[in-house]
């Protein structure tokens, strides 16, 4: 179904076409009619399937139809979990409303409130906000939700995972007047369902993909490697294969800094995006990466959602996430809008417990690739319990046991030679 066929206002349809949109995605086909009808909805869809347009286009249409005053007041509120997602959503909505008189504002933490106060005082029709910073503005009385008609909770599961439940409850409990509520989530966890039960009225449930599903055109690979050789392997994969745009997820801010430093030593230009970076520096890192000025963006899970980078081909999990659902969100940065992508995980022996959980959540085993030169004996890194279990396993016949022993001896002798650590200079 095309956007031409659903009767969008002329100015909005013009903007949609300038964005390059032609045919609606499944979530757009199902959510837009329900929102137009005035229903509360609880919607789940894979990341990268056009959720922002699914909820914002019908809201924009309704706001244009009911424009009552030339002075903008907050009529639609969109809550998001992170600054990056807030900026992304606000930017998309500004594109959709570029030929209209509607004003869009965005507020988030980590920056001064003064410029945000000026923006709010000037008036906005649509406000995109993170929960904590919105509570600040409500406390300061720099924003009013008294005329709000539409509420969107975007990436609700992530907001709950990040501990925003109290903020959300306080914000929503203060909105007494009738309004339409839309809850969008990558997953329908029990916490999300409870939130929906408390704040949505007879919602229509929309689910366009299997829970925790990953994009169909994303290929998944696991590369076994010992922990202290991950940086070396990553540089080799990027340099030898001449990958030009790679997003690397690290487990902590400290490890992200180390990874970036190692890649720079290998001649691979990279940028950093994590919580210790100012919002300005994070925006600059994302901009440089999107424009191809750097080949690698090293990030923590602060960037696992909300970033929409066109044609991102590779996502690398330098460290596997603690929560298997976060794997889905991380690799959702590639394979967006029906395009193909590759998700690679560097897995050391200590990562295997996380790998098993991830494979259980996504519903299939991930193909393993052994990169020559990085082989290792898992038993050398096994726990005492694992070694004991291996020792108690059924014994093989004498001939086969001798072969295995000879190979082990040869490998041990070879390992005594000093290993050469190559640096792989990246070719642009």
């Amino acid at each position: 179904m095309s956007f031409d066929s659903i009767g969008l206002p002329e100015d909005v349809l013009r903007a949609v076409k300038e964005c390059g949109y032609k045919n609606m995605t499944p979530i757009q086909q199902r959510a837009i009619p329900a929102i137009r009808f005035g229903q509360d909805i609880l919607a789940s869809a894979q990341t990268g399937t056009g959720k922002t347009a699914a909820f914002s286009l019908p809201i924009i249409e309704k706001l244009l139809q009911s424009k009552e005053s030339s002075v903008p007041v907050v009529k639609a509120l969109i809550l998001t979990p992170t600054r990056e997602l807030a900026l992304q959503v606000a930017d998309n909505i500004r594109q959709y409303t570029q030929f209209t008189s509607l004003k869009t504002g965005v507020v988030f933490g980590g920056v001064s409130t003064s410029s945000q106060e000026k923006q709010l005082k000037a008036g906005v029709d649509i406000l995109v906000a993170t929960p904590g910073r919105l509570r600040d503005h409500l406390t300061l009385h720099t924003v009013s939700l008294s005329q709000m008609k539409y509420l969107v909770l975007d990436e609700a599961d992530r907001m709950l995972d990040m501990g925003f439940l109290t903020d959300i409850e306080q914000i929503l409990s203060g909105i007494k007047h009738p309004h339409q509520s839309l809850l969008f989530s990558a997953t329908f966890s029990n916490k999300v369902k409870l939130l929906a039960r408390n704040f949505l009225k007879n919602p229509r449930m929309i689910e366009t993909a299997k829970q925790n599903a990953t994009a169909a055109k994303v290929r998944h690979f696991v590369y076994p490697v010992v922990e202290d050789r991950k940086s070396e392997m990553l540089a080799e994969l990027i340099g030898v294969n001449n990958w030009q745009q790679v997003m690397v997820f690290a487990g902590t801010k400290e490890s992200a800094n180390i990874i970036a430093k190692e890649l720079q030593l290998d001649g691979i230009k990279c940028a950093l995006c994590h919580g210790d970076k100012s919002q300005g520096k994070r925006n600059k890192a994302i901009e440089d990466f999107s424009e191809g000025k750097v080949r690698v963006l090293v990030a923590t899970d602060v960037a696992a959602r909300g970033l929409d980078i066109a044609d991102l081909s590779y996502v690398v999990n330098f460290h596997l996430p603690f929560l298997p659902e976060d794997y889905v969100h991380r690799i959702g940065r590639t394979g967006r809008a029906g395009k193909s992508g590759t998700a690679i995980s560097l897995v050391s022996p200590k990562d295997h417990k996380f790998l098993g959980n991830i494979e259980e959540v996504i519903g299939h085993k991930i193909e393993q690739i052994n990169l020559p030169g990085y082989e290792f004996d898992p038993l050398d890194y096994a726990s005492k319990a694992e070694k004991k279990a291996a020792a108690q396993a059924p014994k093989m016949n004498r001939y086969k046991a001798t072969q295995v022993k000879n190979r082990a001896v040869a490998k041990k002798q070879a390992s005594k030679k000093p290993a050469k650590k190559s640096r792989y200079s990246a070719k642009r």
Side-chain angles (χ1 to χ4, degrees), residues 7 12 60 90 105 121 136 149 164 166 183 186 209 212 268 287 298 312 318 332 366 370 385 404 423:
V12 178
I60 292 167
K121 188 176 181 180
D136 293 341
K149 295 182 178 180
F164 286 130
T166 300
L183 191 155
N212 298 317
I268 298 173
E287 180 183 335
V298 184
L312 177 60
F318 193 93
I366 301 177
N370 295 302
V404 171
R423 286 290 183 184

Side-chain angles (χ1 to χ4, degrees), residues 13-72:
L13 182 60
R14 178 185 169 193
V16 166
K17 287 183 176 180
E18 285 211 359
C19 291
Y21 299 173
K22 294 180 181 179
N23 297 318
M24 293 192 293
T25 64
I27 186 62
Q28 291 163 356
Q29 291 182 38
R30 297 185 61 187
I32 289 175
I35 298 170
R36 278 175 159 176
F37 191 69
Q39 292 177 278
D40 282 9
I41 66 170
L42 172 59
S44 173
Q46 287 178 244
T47 183
T49 54
K51 285 186 287 184
T52 301
F55 63 71
S56 61
L57 290 178
I59 290 176
I60 292 167
E61 180 182 33
K62 288 188 172 191
L63 291 178
L64 291 173
Q65 291 170 349
S66 64
K67 188 75 171 172
E68 300 164 354
S69 168
S70 59
V71 180

Side-chain angles (χ1 to χ4, degrees), residues 280-299:
K281 288 184 178 179
R282 286 157 68 173
N283 292 344
K284 183 65 165 58
I286 294 166
E287 180 183 335
D288 288 348
F289 182 60
S290 299
E291 294 177 356
K293 295 178 181 177
V294 297
R295 294 175 73 179
V296 179
L297 179 65
V298 184

Side-chain angles (χ1 to χ4, degrees), residues 268-334:
I268 298 173
K269 289 185 177 180
C270 58
L272 278 162
C273 182
H274 58 61
D276 277 353
K277 297 293 181 181
S278 68
Q279 188 60 45
K281 288 184 178 179
R282 286 157 68 173
N283 292 344
K284 183 65 165 58
I286 294 166
E287 180 183 335
D288 288 348
F289 182 60
S290 299
E291 294 177 356
K293 295 178 181 177
V294 297
R295 294 175 73 179
V296 179
L297 179 65
V298 184
T300 55
D301 280 320
V302 72
R305 302 194 191 199
L307 292 187
D308 189 2
I309 298 167
D311 303 320
L312 177 60
S313 299
Y314 298 94
V315 168
V316 177
N317 291 296
F318 193 93
H319 301 116
L320 290 180
F322 180 75
L323 296 174
E325 292 82 6
D326 285 343
Y327 176 85
V328 177
H329 303 311
R330 285 182 178 186
I331 68 168
R333 300 311 100 208
T334 187

